[in-house]
Each structure stands twice: as C-alpha cells, then as structure tokens.
Amino acid sequence: MTARLTELARFLRTRRARLTPECVGLPRTPSRRLAGLRRAEVATLAGISPEYYTRLEQGRQRHPSPEVLDALATALRLDADGRSHLHRLTARPAPAAPSAPPPAAPEAALDLLRALTVWPAYLVSPMRAVLAWNDAAAWLLTDFGALPPHRRNLAWFALCDPRARELYTDWEAVARGNVHRLRNALAGRTGEEPLLAELAAHGGELFTDAWNEHEVRGPNTGHKRLNHPEAGPLTLAYTGYLLPGPERLELVVMTAPEGSAEHALLHRRPA
C-alpha cells in the first residue's frame, strides 16, 4: 500500500470513528457496541456499495471519483477543510521539496506589516514558518528576529519552546492546531519533511497524538488567550488572510474590540 493510500485509509477510519448513529439520523440498537459508524453505514449514507467503501479504507481503491469523494465528505460530516483534504489525498502526487527554503515575503505584505503599528501581525507559510512580523507581534508572542531562521516556526514554538506553555492559556489547543495545519499543508505531498522528524523527536506525545488524529485545518478566525509576561492575561481576536499566489501565504492579524482593555493596551504600547 502506498503512503498516499495509507493516508486516505486512515483519514476515512478516523472520521468514521468520530460519528455516532444518532448524529447522522440512524437508530442505535441495544446490542450495539461499536462507538463509531460501521463501514456499511457510511457506504449507505454516501450512496456507494459497502464493498467499494471497504476497499477505500483498506487502501485498495486508488482513484475514487470527485463525485464519490464529495458524497463521502457529506456522509462523514466533513467541514470545508476536511472536504478539501479528502480531495487532495487522492489527487496526483505533488513532489515535496524538503531542502527548499521558505518562500520570500512579498514586498506588498511587508509594507502592510510596517503600516500595522498597533495590531500584532505576521506572515506565515503553510508549513508554519514565520516569514515576517511587525513589532507588535514580536512584543506579544516572541522576538522572532532573535531566533535562528530555522526556528522561526509557529509549530516548533508551540510544541518545543517552553515559553509557549506559559504564553498560551490554551497551550495544548494551540499546539494541536499547529499540527493540524501541518497535516493540511502536507496533504498529497510525497517525500520526507524534516520539520516533522524534528517535531516527532522533540514535540513529545502531544505531537504524536495530534498527528495521529488526522485532523486538518486551514486559515481561520478565532480568539487567542494569552498570559503575557508584561501585560498579564489578554484575549485577542485573530483572522488569517490567505494571500493570492501558489505559495498560499497567510497574513494573520490580531485585534481587540474598541473599548476593551486589550484595545487600550495595544494603542498605548510603546512603538
């Protein structure tokens, strides 16, 4: 079984295991012991034969059609990130380039970062490499400029830098989220990825557990809760803006509502 077929099989199994009969409108019999859905139940929901679905989970079906993938995504209740991930797992392999340096930050993005003097903002690659940042982000998160270039990575910082445990109130969720972003970025790629080997060696059981969850995430919005060493507890909203282009770079901007303590703090922070 190829690595790509293995990834597809594992992804389908983990998604199936997370669903219950009740959440998809199926009855639960008193004698049922299985926590997740049965293969036949997923097949019925997707409108395909149980034998065909079994071949998919066993890595014996190489080329499911886009229509079958969409039906499976609906049956498994996948969100937009999960649906895209499922399609990428079955697309033509894209060769990995582990030795390639992170992409350069576009000049327009650098201009925007320089203009954002109040709001913490940074530019990040799909592999979580921090390519550029403003002074507010360096103050809020960490001085990326003081780190070696190969350590300017959000996944490495969250999982392997002890300061992250103190900084992020929801440290485990932040660390897991970075792993889920990495899995999303690597869907359909072939070859070895040195960052994964480093995280496996230094990221502890949390990295292994999060990677084996087969969860995926793309650019999103939400809130970060932090315990800043100078400012104390902070809650900031963040939004990831995907820049046009094949590199899929993401500009992340953190803000606070007007009238909040965080809003006042960021506006009076020395530039």
Side-chain angles (χ1 to χ4, degrees):
M1 189 188 304
T2 68
R4 289 167 58 78
L5 289 176
T6 300
E7 281 295 300
L8 174 62
R10 288 175 177 169
F11 183 67
L12 291 173
R13 286 198 296 269
T14 57
R15 300 306 95 182
R16 176 169 63 87
R18 293 188 176 192
L19 295 177
T20 63
E22 293 84 354
C23 75
V24 297
L26 295 175
R28 177 184 291 272
T29 60
S31 60
R32 186 184 183 108
R33 296 182 179 180
L34 182 68
L37 293 182
R38 297 186 176 97
R39 287 174 176 170
E41 291 170 334
V42 174
T44 298
L45 291 169
I48 59 178
S49 72
E51 293 76 16
Y52 185 88
Y53 181 77
T54 297
R55 291 199 300 273
L56 286 171
E57 274 206 8
Q58 292 177 345
R60 296 188 290 113
Q61 182 63 42
R62 294 178 177 271
H63 302 294
S65 70
E67 293 77 15
V68 166
L69 295 176
D70 281 332
L72 284 171
T74 300
L76 293 169
R77 302 301 195 263
L78 301 184
D79 59 14
D81 289 332
R83 184 180 293 265
S84 298
H85 183 74
L86 183 60
H87 279 270
R88 287 198 301 274
L89 285 176
T90 60
R92 178 174 297 182
S99 59
E107 192 60 37
L110 296 178
D111 290 340
L112 183 56
L113 284 173
R114 285 189 285 265
L116 291 170
T117 58
V118 172
W119 306 121
Y122 54 87
L123 188 69
V124 61
S125 77
M127 291 302 296
R128 314 306 288 151
V130 181
L131 308 178
W133 59 92
N134 63 7
D135 291 341
W139 172 82
L140 180 70
L141 301 176
T142 191
D143 184 3
F144 295 107
L147 300 176
H150 67 288
R151 289 291 179 255
R152 296 171 190 168
N153 186 285
L154 293 179
W156 174 270
F157 178 69
L159 283 156
C160 304
D161 193 318
R163 293 174 295 179
R165 291 176 179 258
E166 302 297 325
L167 177 64
Y168 295 116
T169 304
D170 306 310
W171 167 74
E172 183 172 329
V174 171
R176 286 183 183 274
N178 274 281
V179 177
H180 300 160
R181 293 297 302 273
L182 287 177
R183 183 173 276 286
N184 193 42
L186 288 169
R189 297 275 294 275
T190 60
E192 297 297 324
E193 176 50 58
L195 176 61
L196 294 186
E198 290 194 35
L199 294 178
H202 303 287
E205 292 184 3
L206 179 57
F207 170 76
T208 302
D209 291 344
W211 185 257
N212 289 336
E213 287 171 349
H214 289 262
E215 190 66 72
V216 292
R217 289 180 60 192
N220 52 66
T221 63
H223 289 81
K224 282 282 193 301
R225 297 195 301 152
L226 305 109
N227 292 309
H228 193 270
E230 297 175 12
L234 300 172
T235 299
L236 296 174
Y238 70 88
T239 302
Y241 300 94
L242 192 62
L243 272 59
E247 295 87 1
R248 297 185 61 80
L249 304 183
E250 181 184 352
L251 179 67
V252 179
V253 182
M254 307 181 78
T255 60
E258 188 171 358
S260 67
E262 288 85 351
H263 184 279
L265 172 70
L266 291 172
H267 275 77
R268 69 171 181 264
R269 182 190 65 81

